[in-house]
Amino acid sequence: MKSLKHGEHIVGMDIGGTKMMACVFDHKFKVVGRCKKKSTSGKDEKPEDRISRIIQEAIEDAGGAKISGIGVGVPGPTDPVAGIIMDTPNLGWKKFPLADVLTKKFDVPAVIDNDVNLGTYGEWRFGKVKDCKHVIGIFPGTGIGGGIIVNGALYHGISGAAGEVGHMTIQVDGPYCGCGKRGCLEGMASRLAIAADIAALAARGDAPYILKNCGTDLANIRSSAIAKAIDAGEKMVEGVVRKAAFYTGIATANLVNIFSPEAIVLGGGLVEAMESLYMEEVTRALKIHTMPFPLKFVKVVPAKLGDDAVVMGAAHLIVERL
Ligand SMILES: [Zn+2]
């Protein structure tokens, strides 16, 4: 594992569809400066200008620390070698050379990678699976993302888009997914899919806690509210979440059969809100659907870095490249 010299600083950044966050890290990977803002300003600011401004403010928050490099996690597929974002509908970018733009602006090396890949990388380097060579991260939240680490390196595939575990087909004629196909894990087990089922329960009077506190608008049925409804004893809400968590476990079992990893890291908003339920259902599905031999070698662990996983993974990636 490469490391920084005493006194050196680097920036890790997470560009999300709704929020952007940059952190300045010292040589021990401690956060010494941070800036978090909405992804769009409402004004005519270009995304690349906003990204530069957020990095600049994080550097100022770190007392104007001199930085040696920048790592960035972006939503959507990337060409990590060329530092190009291939396609991000949210930010309106196609084949955008973000790494070059940041290198010119800050006069330091910059690297980019997919945000969920870097979340997995962060959990691998700084979480509970440091000693493992083969790790798969699965992050069920509003969507379902994943990252694959094989032989101690992120696996990108020829297109750069490997690791899209959310678009694994789980049910051939299942519901439509955001990608336009039917029966993907994400279409059946993401927070949006769960919220749609729970909204129907609320509308017909079977989930009074949800109806009172969230209404039936899917955007308002958040992971934390779902967890509280389950704590309040809403059995049908719990049934909906258990089914989604079990589907997540089936996808996990397929991945274990193919990759035989040492560890699966489970994170994302749904897991953070309902960790024990997710661990139970994923473990149950693994026992049913994994071949016995690879099952002996794999452990399932909850993610521990929360919102900082991507910035930490991004920071570590740039250190590897310096
Ligand atoms: Zn899909």
Side-chain angles (χ1 to χ4, degrees):
M1 179 167 164
K2 282 195 185 172
S3 57
L4 289 170
K5 288 191 213 82
H6 189 86
E8 260 191 302
H9 293 85
I10 32 126
V11 170
M13 182 160 195
D14 180 4
I15 299 179
T18 54
K19 283 190 189 119
M20 294 184 182
M21 176 164 75
C23 290
V24 177
F25 294 86
D26 69 7
H27 69 287
K28 288 183 170 164
F29 286 99
K30 193 172 148 244
V31 176
V32 293
R34 189 187 286 264
C35 178
K36 186 175 179 180
K37 289 185 191 296
K38 282 188 183 158
S39 296
T40 49
S41 61
K43 296 179 205 146
D44 262 353
E45 195 175 26
K46 283 190 203 161
E48 57 269 36
D49 293 340
R50 191 161 179 79
I51 287 164
S52 296
R53 192 152 68 86
I54 291 168
I55 292 174
Q56 191 58 46
E57 286 186 29
I59 292 171
E60 279 157 28
D61 188 44
K66 185 174 166 358
I67 58 164
S68 310
I70 302 169
V72 185
V74 299
T78 63
D79 177 339
V81 178
I84 294 171
I85 299 174
M86 301 312 285
D87 190 9
T88 48
N90 284 345
L91 298 164
W93 279 337
K94 252 193 159 57
K95 293 200 173 175
F96 187 77
L98 182 65
D100 267 1
V101 168
L102 293 175
T103 292
K104 283 192 186 114
K105 172 92 187 164
F106 292 94
D107 199 24
V108 293
V111 289
I112 63 165
D113 207 320
N114 170 268
D115 53 359
V116 193
N117 280 352
L118 290 182
T120 304
Y121 204 59
E123 290 290 347
W124 174 52
R125 276 310 192 195
F126 301 103
K128 295 174 180 164
V129 291
K130 273 192 207 72
D131 305 328
C132 301
K133 271 171 79 180
H134 314 292
V135 177
I136 295 178
I138 303 174
F139 298 84
T142 306
I144 299 183
I148 299 168
I149 290 166
V150 177
N151 275 329
L154 276 168
Y155 178 74
H156 294 99
I158 188 70
S159 65
E164 290 287 354
V165 304
H167 302 286
M168 187 187 300
T169 306
I170 295 294
Q171 187 180 326
V172 172
D173 54 356
Y176 277 110
C177 175
C179 72
K181 295 192 300 146
R182 277 183 178 276
C184 296
L185 175 66
E186 182 168 302
M188 299 178 66
S190 66
R191 206 246 324 145
L192 272 180
I194 291 172
D197 282 357
I198 292 177
L201 293 178
R204 62 170 195 243
D206 285 328
Y209 177 92
I210 295 286
L211 190 63
K212 180 163 173 273
N213 293 284
C214 313
T216 55
D217 183 343
L218 305 193
N220 294 334
I221 303 178
R222 313 293 306 178
S223 301
S224 54
I226 296 169
K228 281 186 189 143
I230 294 173
D231 287 344
E234 300 204 334
K235 287 292 170 204
M236 289 189 193
V237 172
E238 181 173 342
V240 167
V241 179
R242 282 196 181 274
K243 186 179 77 174
F246 189 77
Y247 284 143
T248 306
I250 291 175
T252 308
N254 288 331
L255 289 164
V256 173
N257 287 336
I258 295 166
F259 287 96
S260 188
E262 290 156 279
I264 298 283
V265 179
L266 266 186
L270 284 163
V271 178
E272 279 170 30
M274 293 165 279
E275 185 180 304
S276 58
L277 183 158
Y278 263 82
M279 293 296 285
E280 255 174 64
E281 291 297 330
V282 168
T283 305
R284 190 165 73 87
L286 275 178
K287 282 188 184 141
I288 297 170
H289 293 283
T290 313
M291 297 174 78
F293 194 59
L295 184 61
K296 281 187 200 165
F297 294 85
V298 68
K299 59 182 175 186
V300 184
V301 298
K304 74 167 214 188
L305 303 179
D307 286 348
D308 281 353
V310 177
V311 289
M312 295 198 76
H316 200 272
L317 190 71
I318 184 63
V319 171
E320 294 275 313
R321 303 283 173 84
L322 285 176

